[in-house]
Amino acid sequence: MKIPQLAVIIPCYNEELCIESTVSKLFEVFKYLIDKNKIKADSYIYLIDDGSTDSTWSIIAQLHNNDSRVKGLKFIRNYGNQKALIAGLESVNQIGCDCVVSIDADLQQDEWAIEKFIDKYMEGYDIVSGIRNDRNTDSFFKRSSAILFYRTMNILGAKIPMNHSDYRLVSKRGLNVMEQYHEKALFLRGFFHEVGLKTAYVHFDVKPRAAGVSKFNFMSLTALALNGITSFSVVPLRFIAVLGFFMALFGFAAGVEAVVEKLLYNNSPNGMATTIILLCVFGGTQLFCLGIIGEYVGQVYREVKARPRYIKDIELK
């Protein structure tokens, strides 16, 4: 296999404190890999400004002016991390590359692990997913919510490896396959895991964040999980069907028991508190099920509208 032209995509949202150092460190990795004849000298970095409100874009523009290997895209507003990643993947496929690595702007993910990604690519793998070794750098709450996220996703059918974020390598073939998927809320972690291309895994260490704060929190993880589940699994809908069957069975059994007590023992069931509790339980369950169905309806609604995933403002090639 020939030496690849590598593109590194970085979604950015209010990353003015770290973007310059991130680009500088990645160029160190580039030089190391070029010297070892593992990537081509025309490899480049592609930064996606996801509607930042600080000076992130002006820094990206300055970096591009200083070095043409820095390319960039600016959204007209914030669309979210997944849309920024999709935009980066689509854009570098249009510009041209043999493979692309996506990495976070804070470089908590070990940038030197890119060499391992390239080695796996050269062995013939189209997808190389990064798996973090531990979550020691996370707070207890973030660690717990992340574990809950991965386990919930796998239980409900959206199968993704534990501790895999969006640090991955995708080959040109993988990018071409992705172009055939036109859904607006494409869940990348689930897509690349289930698409069927030859996949390998690389383990890496995570560093403390050097500057700024993480943009992921419990609410963003919840939104990501809901998108992933409704995109890749109908398990919750089947769960609702099974739950409805057992609720109906319970109601039928309770009705039979009430009739038997009345006919045989002339004893009418009583208990206002029990009735209220049952009404609240079943009413709450029904609303919960309606909420799950509503998520799927909302997903269909967004897809049917067929609005663009994102709108570009400025692009630097």
Side-chain angles (χ1 to χ4, degrees):
M1 186 176 289
K2 65 178 183 178
I3 299 171
Q5 179 190 25
L6 172 67
V8 175
I9 61 171
I10 307 172
C12 307
Y13 179 66
N14 291 344
E15 298 290 359
E16 63 180 1
L17 296 178
C18 64
I19 197 65
E20 288 183 274
S21 63
T22 292
V23 169
S24 176
K25 290 175 182 177
L26 286 173
F27 276 149
E28 290 179 17
V29 177
F30 275 25
K31 183 179 185 306
Y32 172 78
L33 294 175
I34 292 169
D35 290 343
K36 293 188 70 174
N37 207 30
K38 288 193 173 185
I39 63 172
K40 291 182 178 178
D42 58 354
S43 298
Y44 60 92
I45 297 172
Y46 194 90
L47 300 148
I48 307 96
D49 181 4
D50 186 21
S52 298
T53 57
D54 61 6
S55 59
T56 296
W57 178 249
S58 61
I59 295 173
I60 292 173
Q62 184 60 49
L63 290 169
H64 171 75
N65 291 333
N66 295 339
D67 193 327
S68 61
R69 293 180 299 168
V70 178
K71 308 179 190 302
L73 169 64
K74 184 178 187 296
F75 286 166
I76 63 170
R77 66 171 178 84
N78 178 256
Y79 287 95
N81 179 266
Q82 288 290 290
K83 301 289 179 65
L85 284 170
I86 292 171
L89 293 170
E90 291 178 336
S91 297
V92 299
N93 195 28
Q94 293 171 1
I95 294 172
C97 67
D98 296 307
C99 58
V100 53
V101 170
S102 55
I103 192 170
D104 289 346
D106 55 18
L107 282 193
Q108 281 191 275
Q109 299 148 328
D110 181 15
E111 67 273 17
W112 292 100
I114 291 176
E115 181 180 11
K116 299 178 183 177
F117 284 75
I118 296 296
D119 290 341
K120 290 295 183 183
Y121 168 80
M122 295 299 290
E123 292 173 15
Y125 291 96
D126 289 300
I127 309 294
V128 185
S129 298
I131 309 292
R132 59 189 296 171
N133 289 321
D134 55 58
R135 308 197 72 93
N136 294 336
T137 57
D138 292 344
S139 65
F140 173 78
F141 176 77
K142 188 173 181 180
R143 189 183 310 122
S144 302
S145 60
I147 292 172
L148 178 64
F149 167 79
Y150 287 107
R151 288 182 177 173
T152 301
M153 295 292 291
N154 282 276
I155 290 172
L156 295 182
K159 304 295 184 181
I160 54 176
M162 179 69 77
N163 290 332
H164 166 56
S165 55
D166 285 303
Y167 189 21
R168 73 173 68 84
L169 177 144
V170 182
S171 69
K172 175 70 173 178
R173 183 186 180 195
L175 293 176
N176 291 336
V177 170
M178 193 189 82
E179 279 195 345
Q180 301 176 45
Y181 286 71
H182 303 293
E183 57 196 87
K184 304 306 174 185
L186 185 63
F187 180 61
L188 293 176
R189 300 186 198 187
F191 165 74
F192 284 120
H193 184 65
E194 294 190 358
V195 73
L197 295 172
K198 191 176 180 182
T199 303
Y201 299 96
V202 165
H203 290 79
F204 65 92
D205 292 321
V206 176
K207 301 169 289 185
R209 189 179 176 98
V213 295
S214 174
K215 309 307 182 295
F216 272 100
N217 52 39
F218 179 77
M219 293 304 296
S220 58
L221 278 175
T222 301
L224 187 64
L226 287 173
N227 177 48
I229 292 166
T230 54
S231 297
F232 279 86
S233 174
V234 295
V235 171
L237 294 177
R238 291 174 179 167
F239 169 76
I240 290 173
V242 172
L243 180 62
F245 171 78
F246 281 107
M247 287 178 65
L249 187 64
F250 175 79
F252 177 76
V256 169
E257 191 271 340
V259 171
V260 169
E261 282 197 21
K262 179 65 176 177
L263 294 178
L264 297 183
Y265 305 105
N266 197 28
N267 180 27
S268 298
N270 53 33
M272 182 61 69
T274 303
T275 302
I276 293 173
I277 291 171
L278 288 175
L279 284 173
C280 291
V281 170
F282 285 112
T285 303
Q286 289 174 332
L287 290 174
F288 173 73
C289 293
L290 284 173
I292 293 176
I293 296 171
E295 286 293 330
Y296 281 91
V297 172
Q299 186 81 304
V300 173
Y301 174 67
R302 288 190 292 270
E303 294 296 330
V304 168
K305 286 191 296 184
R307 293 178 177 175
R309 286 171 174 160
Y310 52 84
I311 298 176
K312 298 180 180 181
D313 186 10
I314 306 171
E315 187 169 15
L316 304 172
K317 295 184 179 181

